[in-house]
Amino acid sequence: MSNLMLEARSGVCDEVVCKIAADEGINTDKLLRLIGSGRVVIVRNIRRSNVQPIGIGEGLRTKVNANVGTSSEVVDYNLEIEKALIAQKYGADTIMDLSTGGDIDYIRREIIKAVNTPVGTVPIYEAAIEAVNKKGAIVSMDEDIIFNTIIKQLKDGVDFLTVHVGVTKDIVEHLKTHPRKLGMVSRGGVFHASWILHNNKENPLYANFDYLLEIAKEFDITLSLGDGLRPGCIEDATDWAQLRELLTISDLVQKAWIAGVQVMVEGPGHIPLNQIQVNIILQKTLCKEAPFYVLGPLVTDIAPGYDHIVSAIGGALAGLHGADFLCYVTPSEHLAIPSKEEVKEGVIASKIAAHAVDIARGNLNALKRDSEMAKARKELNWESEFKLALDPEKARNIYSRVKVKNETCTMCGEYCAVKLLSKYLKVDSDKTPIC
Amino acid sequence: MSNLMLEARSGVCDEVVCKIAADEGINTDKLLRLIGSGRVVIVRNIRRSNVQPIGIGEGLRTKVNANVGTSSEVVDYNLEIEKALIAQKYGADTIMDLSTGGDIDYIRREIIKAVNTPVGTVPIYEAAIEAVNKKGAIVSMDEDIIFNTIIKQLKDGVDFLTVHVGVTKDIVEHLKTHPRKLGMVSRGGVFHASWILHNNKENPLYANFDYLLEIAKEFDITLSLGDGLRPGCIEDATDWAQLRELLTISDLVQKAWIAGVQVMVEGPGHIPLNQIQVNIILQKTLCKEAPFYVLGPLVTDIAPGYDHIVSAIGGALAGLHGADFLCYVTPSEHLAIPSKEEVKEGVIASKIAAHAVDIARGNLNALKRDSEMAKARKELNWESEFKLALDPEKARNIYSRVKVKNETCTMCGEYCAVKLLSKYLKVDSDKTPIC
């Protein structure tokens, strides 16, 4: 049985790790230390043959996740597979299948076949829906359904799982007397909370965390410790419930590492700009630098239709302060299941945030691309500009919609700054600095 | 002759100032002190009757500017007027007319008539084009053309002017032996630089800054000290040329204040995320807290087609650290003159950034709107949600494209977290905290 974390601690470099080190431009020994200490996770399921494993965490390129999946209202398997492929095409590093409608096993297996990125799921969705189908209600879900669903999904090749292990009985009880403006907005979190309240029992994933670790270890997958209590609006940001859950999660991170299981921690949520840094510092400190997977953060509540932008702002700032993995948000967030076009827009907005973070961190591959774009702009070399763009087709379409008389664009035309300057400023090339 | 800055120093509260204090929810005496010390500017031309003056600076709501205008390639007056009206509709606080094609006087006057927001211009554009038309080249422009153009535009009612007073002979000469990756990308800056290099003379606006101040004072307008040396790519960020220009500008700020002329300072440009804070601190410190008007900042070069998002990220972070006024960037930046739809997208992206900054600063009006949105979401009150959204129509369209069976949306359907939680979590309302 292969276990990347334990092997890394012994200094053994699996070929997966060697390849990632080369791709990311990081020293192999350093990467092994980061994996061994939990600061980097390598996401892959040992049973899945078509996965291109990726690393997430300190010293690596900032990664982006895209969610796809059916809902109880819209079930179109081909559409969801297309969305997964679009997300992959525009640079999503992982895909999460969050299906809750139709044949959930079928769509998951098809998505796993269709893409090479690691695929993640939230198994409590399928478990809860099975409980509804077989017993009439989520709250009638028995604990075995949860673990059996997890095992089934891992056998299918799922590479990482969101598990809401921090939604404990004490936090949910606390909400009764200390309500939040918007309660809980995490679906998985609410499934657990409803079950806990109805059955007056502890969250099975928390109560049986050791068993969960055993299962994760068998497939050498990564657990993503979900934030069921993430704030659903600016007013609930950085509150008691959110921090209490983070404290619980931080204990479980330690437990996972002792067992040799890789974990990430999921974070908020709706957070104002001025609280993002403190949220990252808290997570990174409490969770001993475990990779941080942020959902947003959304820096305002008032822009439905544009939450990909709201979230790119929050994600960029989170990344600047140390977040490692950005979950995309689409323009249809808070309104509807996304269209294919909205999936693309969501991925690109998140890629912009992630790339801006990599630039800020001095990532050489990232800097090189921006440098080449600057060179292309200086030369008014439009073909190069399109090629280097995150979305070459859109850039070309905007440029081409009106024919220009010379090599400039329709914005400045003959008064193009780049063109004019090159006419009047003759650079003394002998004196050009070396760097 | 009315002069808001001098009156403010004497503690006289003009009705314009009183109205702005009320709208912004700021104490009048405090606002007067901020205006008197130059930390806030009140933008209006005393000769313009249809302007709704606004305040920009410390303690006030973050403002957004939208650029419109013809180019040498695309001259469609009605289209540019429509763009100005669209920008105003979606919340632009000011409009700049940057026309460089067709009858520049005509389009400027029509835009001034069409909108109530303050209108800004870059008069060197018209002066340079007049020089081309009358004398065959920008570099043949005589100094009188510049000042006569400024006076003409102010008589038309222009409320603020961008003047590239910091593009001095020494900086332009320095570029010969210390070239930048992308030279200069400011059109106005390059007009001056070309003129300086060809004529071997100092920038007339710098050399005759006192005369410029006299003119500005007569119309009680605000000068926006433009950044002709703003970096045009990530690699040029925060470099010698940019900082040298800022030093020059900071001297001129003092000079303007002594003369009783309101000024803003324009800032970069293409700046990586990790350099935004330092740029704001430098400007605010050197320029003694003069309002900072940022163009972007753009945090990566590789996203043509999406530079409104790139710029919203930079603008939000700049605002968080103290920038007061965000210039929008549209999706067509670096590619083409924007379409009407792109103007709308640009304004909304900037408004998101500005609003997120206001939330972070604890602006009560801003917080109230997010709080109302959270309440609407809790109640699944879609009509309220649309009404509170920055773009009600887009939000409604996304929500409505597939009919939902109940009061939820197509994303979560029957597994809506908000709906489920309200079923199982019975809040003890007696114990609800007061705040």
Side-chain angles (χ1 to χ4, degrees), chain A residues 65 182 231-234 269-271 294-316 326-336 338 342-351 353, chain B residues 308-309 312-313 345 348-349 351-353 355-356 370 373-374 377 382 385-386 388-391 394-395 398-399 409 411:
Chain A
N65 173 70
L182 204 38
C233 62
I234 292 292
H270 291 240
I271 300 283
V294 289
L295 316 176
L298 289 121
V299 295
T300 172
D301 303 335
I302 67 158
Y306 300 87
D307 277 330
H308 59 311
I309 298 178
V310 174
S311 174
I313 292 172
L326 311 181
C327 186
Y328 92 156
V329 167
T330 77
S332 72
E333 183 76 14
H334 299 108
L335 294 169
E342 287 162 351
V343 165
K344 176 186 158 184
E345 287 183 63
V347 170
I348 287 178
S350 272
K351 288 295 285 185
Chain B
H308 60 311
I309 298 178
I313 293 171
E345 286 183 63
I348 286 178
K351 288 294 285 185
I352 289 170
H355 182 81
D370 282 51
M373 179 64 92
R377 284 192 171 139
W382 295 97
E385 291 188 46
F386 303 149
L388 289 160
L390 276 181
D391 184 356
K394 186 176 181 192
I398 293 176
Y399 176 77
C409 83
M411 187 63 173

Coordinates of all heavy atoms in Angstrom, one line a residue, chain A residues 65 182 231-234 269-271 294-316 326-336 338 342-351 353, chain B residues 308-309 312-313 345 348-349 351-353 355-356 370 373-374 377 382 385-386 388-391 394-395 398-399 409 411:
Chain A
N65 N -10.4 25.3 -8.2 CA -11.4 24.2 -8.4 C -12.6 24.7 -9.0 O -13.1 25.8 -8.7 CB -11.7 23.6 -7.0 CG -12.9 22.6 -7.1 OD1 -12.7 21.5 -7.7 ND2 -14.1 23.0 -6.6
L182 N -27.7 34.7 8.8 CA -28.1 33.8 7.7 C -27.8 32.3 8.1 O -27.7 31.5 7.2 CB -27.4 34.2 6.4 CG -28.0 33.8 5.1 CD1 -29.5 33.9 5.1 CD2 -27.5 34.6 3.9
P231 N -19.6 31.6 7.0 CA -20.6 32.7 7.0 C -21.3 32.9 5.6 O -20.6 32.8 4.6 CB -19.8 34.0 7.3 CG -18.4 33.6 7.1 CD -18.3 32.1 7.3
G232 N -22.6 33.0 5.7 CA -23.3 33.2 4.4 C -23.6 34.6 4.0 O -24.3 34.9 3.0
C233 N -23.1 35.5 4.8 CA -23.3 36.9 4.5 C -22.2 37.7 5.3 O -21.6 37.2 6.3 CB -24.7 37.4 4.9 SG -25.1 37.3 6.7
I234 N -22.0 38.9 4.9 CA -21.0 39.8 5.5 C -21.2 39.9 7.0 O -20.2 39.9 7.8 CB -21.0 41.2 4.8 CG1 -20.5 41.0 3.3 CG2 -20.2 42.2 5.6 CD1 -19.0 40.7 3.1
G269 N -16.0 31.9 2.3 CA -17.3 32.2 2.8 C -17.6 33.7 2.4 O -16.9 34.3 1.5
H270 N -18.5 34.3 3.1 CA -18.7 35.8 2.9 C -17.9 36.5 4.0 O -18.2 36.4 5.1 CB -20.2 36.1 3.0 CG -21.1 35.6 1.9 ND1 -21.8 36.4 1.1 CD2 -21.3 34.4 1.5 CE1 -22.4 35.7 0.2 NE2 -22.2 34.4 0.4
I271 N -16.9 37.2 3.5 CA -15.9 37.9 4.5 C -15.6 39.2 3.9 O -15.2 39.3 2.7 CB -14.6 37.0 4.5 CG1 -14.9 35.6 5.1 CG2 -13.5 37.7 5.4 CD1 -15.1 35.5 6.5
V294 N -10.1 28.0 -0.1 CA -11.1 29.0 0.2 C -12.3 29.0 -0.8 O -12.1 28.8 -2.0 CB -10.5 30.4 0.3 CG1 -9.7 30.6 1.5 CG2 -9.7 30.8 -1.0
L295 N -13.5 29.2 -0.3 CA -14.7 29.3 -1.1 C -15.1 30.7 -1.2 O -15.7 31.3 -0.3 CB -15.8 28.5 -0.4 CG -15.4 27.1 0.2 CD1 -16.5 26.4 0.9 CD2 -14.9 26.2 -0.9
G296 N -14.5 31.4 -2.1 CA -14.6 32.8 -2.2 C -13.3 33.4 -1.9 O -12.3 33.0 -2.5
P297 N -13.1 34.1 -0.8 CA -14.2 34.7 0.0 C -15.0 35.8 -0.9 O -14.4 36.5 -1.7 CB -13.5 35.4 1.2 CG -12.1 34.9 1.2 CD -11.8 34.5 -0.2
L298 N -16.3 35.9 -0.6 CA -17.1 36.9 -1.2 C -17.1 38.2 -0.4 O -17.4 38.1 0.8 CB -18.5 36.4 -1.4 CG -18.6 35.3 -2.4 CD1 -19.2 34.0 -1.9 CD2 -19.4 35.7 -3.6
V299 N -16.7 39.3 -1.0 CA -16.4 40.5 -0.2 C -17.6 41.4 -0.2 O -17.5 42.5 0.4 CB -15.2 41.2 -0.7 CG1 -13.9 40.3 -0.5 CG2 -15.3 41.5 -2.2
T300 N -18.7 41.1 -0.8 CA -20.0 41.8 -0.6 C -21.1 40.8 -1.0 O -20.9 39.8 -1.7 CB -20.1 43.0 -1.5 OG1 -21.5 43.5 -1.3 CG2 -19.8 42.8 -2.9
D301 N -22.3 41.1 -0.5 CA -23.5 40.3 -0.7 C -24.4 40.8 -1.9 O -25.3 40.1 -2.3 CB -24.4 40.2 0.5 CG -23.6 39.7 1.8 OD1 -22.6 39.0 1.6 OD2 -24.0 40.0 2.9
I302 N -24.0 42.0 -2.4 CA -25.0 42.7 -3.2 C -24.8 42.5 -4.7 O -25.4 43.3 -5.5 CB -25.2 44.2 -2.9 CG1 -23.9 44.9 -3.2 CG2 -25.5 44.4 -1.4 CD1 -24.1 46.4 -3.4
A303 N -24.0 41.6 -5.2 CA -23.8 41.5 -6.6 C -24.1 40.1 -7.2 O -23.4 39.6 -8.0 CB -22.3 41.8 -6.9
P304 N -25.3 39.6 -6.9 CA -25.7 38.4 -7.6 C -25.7 38.7 -9.1 O -26.1 39.7 -9.6 CB -27.1 38.1 -7.1 CG -27.6 39.4 -6.6 CD -26.4 40.1 -6.1
G305 N -25.2 37.7 -9.9 CA -24.9 37.9 -11.3 C -23.5 38.2 -11.6 O -23.0 38.0 -12.8
Y306 N -22.8 38.6 -10.6 CA -21.3 39.0 -10.7 C -20.5 38.4 -9.6 O -19.4 38.9 -9.3 CB -21.2 40.5 -10.8 CG -21.9 41.2 -11.9 CD1 -23.3 41.5 -11.7 CD2 -21.3 41.4 -13.1 CE1 -24.0 42.1 -12.8 CE2 -22.0 42.0 -14.2 CZ -23.4 42.3 -14.0 OH -24.0 42.9 -15.0
D307 N -21.0 37.3 -9.0 CA -20.3 36.8 -7.8 C -18.9 36.2 -8.2 O -18.1 35.9 -7.3 CB -21.1 35.9 -7.0 CG -22.0 36.7 -6.1 OD1 -21.6 37.8 -5.6 OD2 -23.2 36.2 -5.7
H308 N -18.7 35.9 -9.5 CA -17.4 35.5 -9.9 C -16.4 36.6 -9.7 O -15.2 36.3 -9.3 CB -17.4 35.0 -11.4 CG -17.8 36.0 -12.4 ND1 -18.9 36.8 -12.3 CD2 -17.2 36.4 -13.6 CE1 -19.1 37.6 -13.3 NE2 -18.0 37.4 -14.1
I309 N -16.8 37.8 -9.9 CA -15.9 39.0 -9.7 C -15.7 39.2 -8.2 O -14.6 39.4 -7.7 CB -16.5 40.2 -10.4 CG1 -16.5 40.0 -11.9 CG2 -15.6 41.5 -10.1 CD1 -17.1 41.2 -12.7
V310 N -16.8 39.2 -7.5 CA -16.8 39.4 -6.0 C -15.8 38.4 -5.4 O -15.0 38.7 -4.5 CB -18.2 39.2 -5.4 CG1 -18.2 39.2 -3.9 CG2 -19.2 40.2 -6.0
S311 N -15.9 37.2 -5.9 CA -15.1 36.1 -5.4 C -13.6 36.1 -5.9 O -12.7 35.7 -5.1 CB -15.8 34.8 -5.9 OG -15.0 33.7 -5.5
A312 N -13.4 36.7 -7.1 CA -12.0 36.8 -7.6 C -11.3 37.8 -6.7 O -10.1 37.7 -6.4 CB -12.0 37.2 -9.0
I313 N -12.0 38.9 -6.3 CA -11.4 39.9 -5.4 C -11.0 39.2 -4.1 O -9.8 39.3 -3.7 CB -12.4 41.1 -5.2 CG1 -12.6 41.9 -6.5 CG2 -11.9 42.0 -4.0 CD1 -13.7 42.9 -6.3
G314 N -11.9 38.5 -3.5 CA -11.6 37.9 -2.2 C -10.6 36.8 -2.3 O -9.7 36.7 -1.5
G315 N -10.6 36.0 -3.4 CA -9.7 34.9 -3.6 C -8.3 35.4 -3.8 O -7.3 34.9 -3.3
A316 N -8.1 36.5 -4.5 CA -6.8 37.1 -4.8 C -6.2 37.6 -3.4 O -5.0 37.3 -3.2 CB -6.9 38.3 -5.8
L326 N -8.2 27.9 -4.6 CA -9.4 28.8 -4.7 C -10.6 28.0 -5.4 O -10.4 27.5 -6.5 CB -9.1 30.0 -5.6 CG -7.8 30.8 -5.3 CD1 -7.7 32.0 -6.2 CD2 -7.8 31.3 -3.8
C327 N -11.7 28.0 -4.7 CA -12.9 27.4 -5.3 C -13.6 28.5 -6.2 O -13.8 29.5 -5.7 CB -13.8 26.9 -4.3 SG -15.2 26.0 -5.1
Y328 N -13.8 28.2 -7.4 CA -14.4 29.2 -8.3 C -15.8 29.4 -7.8 O -16.5 28.6 -7.1 CB -14.4 28.7 -9.7 CG -15.5 27.9 -10.3 CD1 -15.7 28.0 -11.7 CD2 -16.4 27.2 -9.6 CE1 -16.7 27.2 -12.3 CE2 -17.4 26.4 -10.2 CZ -17.6 26.5 -11.5 OH -18.6 25.8 -12.1
V329 N -16.3 30.6 -8.2 CA -17.7 30.9 -8.0 C -18.2 31.4 -9.4 O -17.4 32.1 -10.1 CB -17.9 32.0 -6.9 CG1 -19.3 32.6 -6.9 CG2 -17.6 31.4 -5.6
T330 N -19.4 31.1 -9.8 CA -19.8 31.5 -11.1 C -20.8 32.7 -11.0 O -21.3 33.0 -9.9 CB -20.6 30.4 -11.9 OG1 -21.9 30.3 -11.4 CG2 -19.8 29.1 -11.8
P331 N -21.0 33.4 -12.2 CA -22.0 34.5 -12.2 C -23.4 34.1 -11.6 O -24.1 34.9 -11.2 CB -22.0 34.9 -13.6 CG -20.8 34.5 -14.2 CD -20.4 33.2 -13.5
S332 N -23.7 32.8 -11.7 CA -25.1 32.4 -11.3 C -25.1 32.0 -9.8 O -26.2 31.6 -9.4 CB -25.6 31.3 -12.2 OG -24.9 30.1 -11.9
E333 N -24.1 32.1 -9.1 CA -24.1 31.8 -7.7 C -25.2 32.6 -7.0 O -25.4 33.7 -7.3 CB -22.7 32.2 -7.0 CG -22.6 31.9 -5.6 CD -22.3 30.4 -5.3 OE1 -22.0 29.6 -6.2 OE2 -22.5 30.0 -4.1
H334 N -25.9 31.9 -6.1 CA -27.0 32.5 -5.3 C -28.3 32.6 -6.2 O -29.3 33.1 -5.7 CB -26.7 33.9 -4.8 CG -25.6 33.9 -3.8 ND1 -24.4 34.5 -4.1 CD2 -25.5 33.5 -2.5 CE1 -23.6 34.4 -3.0 NE2 -24.2 33.8 -2.1
L335 N -28.2 32.2 -7.5 CA -29.4 32.4 -8.3 C -29.8 31.1 -9.1 O -31.0 30.9 -9.2 CB -29.0 33.5 -9.4 CG -28.8 34.9 -8.9 CD1 -28.2 35.7 -10.0 CD2 -30.1 35.5 -8.3
A336 N -28.9 30.3 -9.5 CA -29.3 29.2 -10.4 C -28.1 28.3 -10.6 O -26.9 28.7 -10.3 CB -29.7 29.7 -11.8
P338 N -25.2 26.9 -12.8 CA -24.6 27.6 -13.9 C -24.7 27.0 -15.3 O -24.9 25.8 -15.4 CB -23.1 27.6 -13.5 CG -22.9 26.4 -12.6 CD -24.3 26.2 -11.9
E342 N -21.2 30.3 -18.1 CA -20.9 30.8 -16.7 C -19.8 30.0 -16.0 O -19.1 30.5 -15.2 CB -22.2 30.8 -15.9 CG -23.1 31.9 -16.3 CD -24.6 31.8 -15.8 OE1 -24.9 30.7 -15.3 OE2 -25.4 32.7 -16.0
V343 N -19.8 28.7 -16.3 CA -18.7 27.8 -15.8 C -17.3 28.4 -16.3 O -16.4 28.6 -15.6 CB -18.8 26.4 -16.2 CG1 -17.6 25.6 -16.0 CG2 -20.0 25.7 -15.4
K344 N -17.3 28.7 -17.6 CA -16.1 29.3 -18.2 C -15.7 30.6 -17.5 O -14.6 30.8 -17.1 CB -16.3 29.5 -19.7 CG -15.2 30.2 -20.4 CD -15.5 30.5 -21.8 CE -14.6 31.6 -22.3 NZ -14.9 32.1 -23.7
E345 N -16.7 31.5 -17.4 CA -16.5 32.8 -16.7 C -16.0 32.6 -15.3 O -15.1 33.3 -14.9 CB -17.7 33.6 -16.7 CG -18.1 34.2 -18.1 CD -19.3 35.1 -18.0 OE1 -19.3 36.1 -17.3 OE2 -20.4 34.7 -18.6
G346 N -16.5 31.6 -14.6 CA -16.1 31.4 -13.2 C -14.7 30.9 -13.1 O -13.9 31.4 -12.3
V347 N -14.3 30.0 -14.0 CA -13.0 29.5 -14.0 C -12.0 30.6 -14.4 O -11.0 30.7 -13.7 CB -12.8 28.3 -15.1 CG1 -11.3 27.9 -15.2 CG2 -13.6 27.1 -14.6
I348 N -12.3 31.4 -15.4 CA -11.3 32.4 -15.8 C -11.2 33.4 -14.7 O -10.0 33.9 -14.4 CB -11.8 33.0 -17.1 CG1 -11.5 32.0 -18.2 CG2 -11.0 34.3 -17.4 CD1 -11.8 32.4 -19.6
A349 N -12.2 33.8 -14.0 CA -12.1 34.8 -12.9 C -11.2 34.3 -11.8 O -10.4 35.0 -11.3 CB -13.5 35.2 -12.4
S350 N -11.4 33.0 -11.5 CA -10.6 32.4 -10.5 C -9.1 32.2 -10.9 O -8.2 32.4 -10.1 CB -11.1 31.0 -10.1 OG -12.0 31.1 -9.1
K351 N -8.9 31.9 -12.2 CA -7.6 31.8 -12.7 C -6.8 33.1 -12.7 O -5.6 33.2 -12.4 CB -7.6 31.3 -14.2 CG -8.0 29.8 -14.4 CD -7.0 28.9 -13.8 CE -5.7 28.8 -14.6 NZ -4.8 27.7 -14.0
A353 N -7.3 35.5 -10.5 CA -7.0 35.7 -9.0 C -5.8 34.8 -8.7 O -4.8 35.3 -8.1 CB -8.2 35.3 -8.1
Chain B
H308 N -11.5 44.0 -16.7 CA -12.4 44.6 -15.7 C -12.3 43.8 -14.4 O -12.3 44.4 -13.3 CB -13.8 44.7 -16.2 CG -14.4 43.4 -16.5 ND1 -13.8 42.4 -17.4 CD2 -15.6 42.8 -16.2 CE1 -14.6 41.4 -17.5 NE2 -15.7 41.6 -16.8
I309 N -12.1 42.5 -14.5 CA -11.9 41.7 -13.3 C -10.5 41.9 -12.7 O -10.3 42.1 -11.5 CB -12.1 40.2 -13.6 CG1 -13.6 40.0 -14.1 CG2 -11.8 39.3 -12.4 CD1 -13.9 38.6 -14.6
A312 N -10.7 45.1 -11.0 CA -11.5 45.1 -9.8 C -10.7 44.5 -8.6 O -10.9 45.0 -7.5 CB -12.8 44.3 -10.0
I313 N -9.9 43.5 -8.9 CA -9.1 42.9 -7.8 C -8.1 44.0 -7.3 O -8.0 44.3 -6.1 CB -8.3 41.7 -8.4 CG1 -9.3 40.6 -8.7 CG2 -7.2 41.3 -7.4 CD1 -8.6 39.4 -9.4
E345 N -20.3 46.5 -18.0 CA -19.5 45.5 -17.2 C -18.4 46.1 -16.5 O -18.1 45.8 -15.3 CB -19.0 44.4 -18.2 CG -20.0 43.5 -18.7 CD -19.4 42.4 -19.5 OE1 -18.5 41.6 -19.0 OE2 -19.7 42.3 -20.7
I348 N -19.8 48.0 -13.4 CA -20.3 47.1 -12.3 C -19.1 46.5 -11.6 O -19.1 46.4 -10.4 CB -21.3 46.1 -12.9 CG1 -22.6 46.8 -13.1 CG2 -21.5 44.9 -11.9 CD1 -23.7 46.0 -13.7
A349 N -18.1 46.1 -12.4 CA -16.9 45.5 -11.7 C -16.3 46.5 -10.8 O -15.9 46.2 -9.6 CB -15.9 45.1 -12.8
K351 N -17.8 49.1 -9.4 CA -18.7 49.4 -8.3 C -18.6 48.3 -7.2 O -18.7 48.5 -6.0 CB -20.2 49.4 -8.8 CG -20.5 50.7 -9.5 CD -20.5 51.9 -8.7 CE -21.6 52.1 -7.8 NZ -21.6 53.4 -7.1
I352 N -18.4 47.0 -7.7 CA -18.2 45.9 -6.7 C -17.0 46.2 -5.8 O -17.0 46.1 -4.6 CB -18.1 44.6 -7.5 CG1 -19.4 44.2 -8.0 CG2 -17.6 43.5 -6.5 CD1 -19.4 43.0 -9.0
A353 N -15.9 46.6 -6.5 CA -14.7 46.8 -5.7 C -14.9 48.0 -4.8 O -14.5 47.9 -3.6 CB -13.5 47.2 -6.7
H355 N -17.7 49.2 -3.5 CA -18.6 48.8 -2.4 C -17.9 47.9 -1.4 O -18.1 48.1 -0.2 CB -19.8 48.2 -3.0 CG -20.9 47.8 -2.0 ND1 -21.8 48.7 -1.5 CD2 -21.1 46.6 -1.3 CE1 -22.6 48.2 -0.6 NE2 -22.2 46.9 -0.5
A356 N -17.1 47.0 -1.9 CA -16.4 46.1 -1.0 C -15.5 46.9 -0.1 O -15.3 46.5 1.1 CB -15.6 45.0 -1.8
D370 N -26.0 45.4 2.4 CA -25.6 44.0 2.5 C -26.5 43.3 3.5 O -26.9 42.1 3.3 CB -24.1 43.8 2.8 CG -23.3 44.1 1.6 OD1 -23.4 45.1 0.9 OD2 -22.4 43.2 1.3
M373 N -29.8 42.5 2.0 CA -29.6 41.4 1.1 C -29.6 40.0 1.8 O -30.2 39.1 1.5 CB -28.4 41.5 0.2 CG -28.2 40.4 -0.8 SD -29.4 40.2 -2.0 CE -28.7 41.2 -3.3
A374 N -28.9 40.0 3.0 CA -28.8 38.8 3.8 C -30.2 38.4 4.3 O -30.6 37.3 4.3 CB -27.8 39.0 4.9
R377 N -32.2 37.0 1.5 CA -31.8 35.6 1.2 C -32.3 34.6 2.3 O -32.8 33.5 1.9 CB -30.3 35.5 1.2 CG -29.7 36.1 -0.1 CD -28.3 35.8 -0.4 NE -28.0 36.2 -1.7 CZ -26.9 36.9 -2.1 NH1 -25.9 37.1 -1.2 NH2 -26.7 37.2 -3.3
W382 N -37.1 36.6 -3.3 CA -36.3 36.8 -4.6 C -36.5 38.3 -5.1 O -35.6 38.9 -5.6 CB -36.7 35.8 -5.6 CG -36.2 34.4 -5.2 CD1 -37.0 33.5 -4.6 CD2 -34.9 33.9 -5.2 NE1 -36.2 32.4 -4.3 CE2 -34.9 32.6 -4.7 CE3 -33.7 34.4 -5.7 CZ2 -33.8 31.8 -4.6 CZ3 -32.5 33.6 -5.6 CH2 -32.6 32.3 -5.1
E385 N -34.3 40.4 -3.3 CA -32.9 40.2 -3.7 C -32.6 40.9 -5.0 O -31.5 41.6 -5.1 CB -32.6 38.7 -3.9 CG -32.6 37.9 -2.6 CD -32.2 36.5 -2.7 OE1 -31.2 36.2 -3.4 OE2 -32.9 35.6 -2.1
F386 N -33.5 40.8 -6.0 CA -33.2 41.5 -7.3 C -33.1 43.0 -7.0 O -32.3 43.7 -7.6 CB -34.4 41.2 -8.3 CG -34.6 39.7 -8.5 CD1 -35.8 39.2 -8.8 CD2 -33.5 38.8 -8.4 CE1 -36.0 37.8 -9.1 CE2 -33.7 37.5 -8.7 CZ -34.9 37.0 -9.0
L388 N -32.2 44.7 -4.5 CA -31.0 45.1 -3.8 C -29.7 44.9 -4.6 O -28.7 45.3 -4.3 CB -30.9 44.4 -2.5 CG -31.9 44.8 -1.4 CD1 -32.1 43.7 -0.3 CD2 -31.5 46.1 -0.8
A389 N -29.9 44.1 -5.7 CA -28.7 43.7 -6.5 C -28.1 44.9 -7.3 O -28.9 45.8 -7.7 CB -29.0 42.6 -7.4
L390 N -26.8 44.9 -7.5 CA -26.2 46.0 -8.3 C -26.8 46.0 -9.7 O -26.9 47.0 -10.4 CB -24.7 45.7 -8.4 CG -23.8 46.3 -7.3 CD1 -22.4 46.0 -7.6 CD2 -24.0 47.8 -7.1
D391 N -27.2 44.8 -10.2 CA -27.8 44.7 -11.6 C -29.1 43.8 -11.5 O -29.0 42.6 -11.7 CB -26.8 44.1 -12.5 CG -27.3 44.0 -14.0 OD1 -28.4 44.3 -14.2 OD2 -26.5 43.6 -14.8
K394 N -30.0 41.5 -14.5 CA -29.2 40.3 -14.8 C -29.5 39.2 -13.7 O -29.6 38.0 -14.1 CB -27.7 40.6 -14.8 CG -26.9 39.4 -15.2 CD -25.4 39.7 -15.3 CE -24.6 38.4 -15.7 NZ -23.2 38.6 -15.6
A395 N -29.7 39.6 -12.5 CA -30.0 38.7 -11.4 C -31.3 38.0 -11.7 O -31.4 36.7 -11.6 CB -30.0 39.4 -10.1
I398 N -31.0 35.4 -14.7 CA -30.3 34.2 -14.4 C -31.3 33.3 -13.6 O -31.4 32.1 -13.8 CB -29.0 34.4 -13.6 CG1 -28.0 35.1 -14.6 CG2 -28.4 33.1 -13.1 CD1 -26.7 35.5 -13.9
Y399 N -31.9 33.9 -12.6 CA -32.8 33.1 -11.7 C -34.0 32.5 -12.5 O -34.3 31.4 -12.3 CB -33.4 34.0 -10.6 CG -34.4 33.4 -9.7 CD1 -34.0 32.5 -8.8 CD2 -35.7 33.5 -9.9 CE1 -34.9 31.8 -8.0 CE2 -36.7 32.9 -9.1 CZ -36.2 32.0 -8.2 OH -37.1 31.4 -7.4
C409 N -33.9 27.9 -5.6 CA -33.4 28.1 -7.0 C -32.9 26.8 -7.6 O -32.9 25.8 -6.9 CB -32.3 29.2 -7.0 SG -30.7 28.6 -6.6
M411 N -30.0 25.8 -8.2 CA -28.7 25.3 -7.8 C -28.9 24.1 -6.7 O -28.4 23.1 -6.9 CB -27.9 26.4 -7.1 CG -26.5 26.0 -6.8 SD -25.6 25.6 -8.3 CE -23.9 25.4 -7.6

